[in-house]
Amino acid sequence: MSHTGSSGGQPGPQRTTDRATALSEPTRAYAELVAGNRRFVDGAPRHPNQDAGHRAAVADGQHPFAVIVGCSDSRLAAEIIFDRGLGDLFVVRTAGHTAGPEVLGSVEYAVTVLGTPLVVVLGHDSCGAVQAARESAATGTAPSGHLRAVVDAVLPSLRRAAAEGVDDIDGIVDIHIAQTVETLLGQSPVLADAVARGRCAVVGVSYRLAAGAVRPVAAVPADLATLETPGSPESTDPATPATV
Ligand SMILES: [Zn+2]
């Protein structure tokens, strides 16, 4: 079964098959997400794999082609912004994409049991969790309840930003995304091993709420995010990689 998973004769990423077959599974998966995000940005989504036939077809098993470790922000719905459907994405969301044990376990399940070839950390501009952590650090007061766990998980990114002289909120968000990529790999030997073997890759992307576009800010291996979307010569801006 193709990881692209389109059904019902929809036009889709299959038109890139000839080139895509020469690419690794993680690279193909990333290109698939970038292509879907481009459709979303352009206001031309195909809503693949959302029909009743596909729903029935995937009931017996799932083979998602990407894990999304995203912020819980209500404007960051993964299947919408990447224009995908049922069975495509294995989504784990927490405020500020903080990655505790349950998140790590969920990622490891997807990578090892389901064979998912790509893990994406999905952050965004104006992230409330990052802002809350920033306020907490500035005032020296910790939030009450379990919200403190979220803030505590973001604080290392704030310290890193301070060390690098970054103090604007979106610059801090980018650092927090990169930090989360490193946390996943550093805390999960299972994931790190899969990446070392070339079976999986991890990429961190930053989403802009108003524009709807994702931009890569970190990737392991680093060359993953330099790929243009196969078959989409018009794809430039959202797929244009940043230095990682
Ligand atoms: Zn957020």
Side-chain angles (χ1 to χ4, degrees):
M1 170 181 160
S2 165
H3 78 270
T4 57
S6 293
S7 63
Q10 288 182 326
Q14 280 79 1
R15 65 197 167 102
T16 68
T17 296
D18 288 346
R19 177 177 168 186
T21 51
L23 303 173
S24 69
E25 283 291 315
T27 301
R28 289 171 58 192
Y30 181 66
E32 202 80 66
L33 288 180
V34 171
N37 181 243
R38 163 60 69 174
R39 295 193 299 272
F40 173 67
V41 169
D42 289 346
R46 295 182 187 139
H47 307 296
N49 299 337
Q50 297 182 19
D51 56 285
H54 186 75
R55 183 181 69 220
V58 296
D60 289 337
Q62 60 170 327
H63 304 280
F65 69 85
V67 181
I68 308 293
V69 179
C71 180
S72 298
D73 191 293
S74 60
R75 300 160 292 184
L76 212 59
E79 281 86 355
I80 294 176
I81 71 170
F82 291 117
D83 190 28
R84 298 307 315 181
L86 300 174
D88 290 335
L89 307 177
F90 191 92
V91 182
V92 189
R93 294 172 69 180
T94 60
H97 46 82
T98 48
E102 291 88 350
V103 171
L104 292 165
S106 300
V107 171
E108 290 182 358
Y109 173 78
V111 171
T112 61
V113 179
L114 304 179
T116 307
L118 179 68
V119 177
V120 176
V121 174
L122 175 63
H124 63 100
D125 56 343
S126 308
C127 182
V130 174
Q131 289 173 327
R134 201 182 188 195
E135 283 180 23
S136 177
T139 61
T141 57
S144 60
H146 293 292
L147 181 55
R148 179 168 186 166
V150 173
V151 164
D152 285 349
V154 177
L155 288 177
S157 299
L158 292 184
R159 288 193 286 270
R160 179 169 162 183
E164 296 180 11
V166 175
D167 62 0
D168 67 290
I169 183 67
D170 292 337
I172 296 172
V173 162
D174 281 1
I175 287 173
H176 182 50
I177 292 167
Q179 181 79 29
T180 305
V181 169
E182 293 177 19
T183 296
L184 293 178
L185 288 165
Q187 297 296 311
S188 172
V190 170
L191 176 62
D193 180 66
V195 172
R197 292 171 183 271
R199 292 197 299 102
C200 189
V202 184
V203 59
V205 300
S206 185
Y207 175 82
R208 296 202 74 82
L209 293 172
V214 296
R215 169 178 53 85
V217 299
V220 180
D223 61 352
L224 178 84
T226 64
L227 184 80
E228 283 188 34
T229 308
S232 299
E234 74 279 13
S235 66
T236 50
D237 291 347
T240 299
T243 302
V244 291

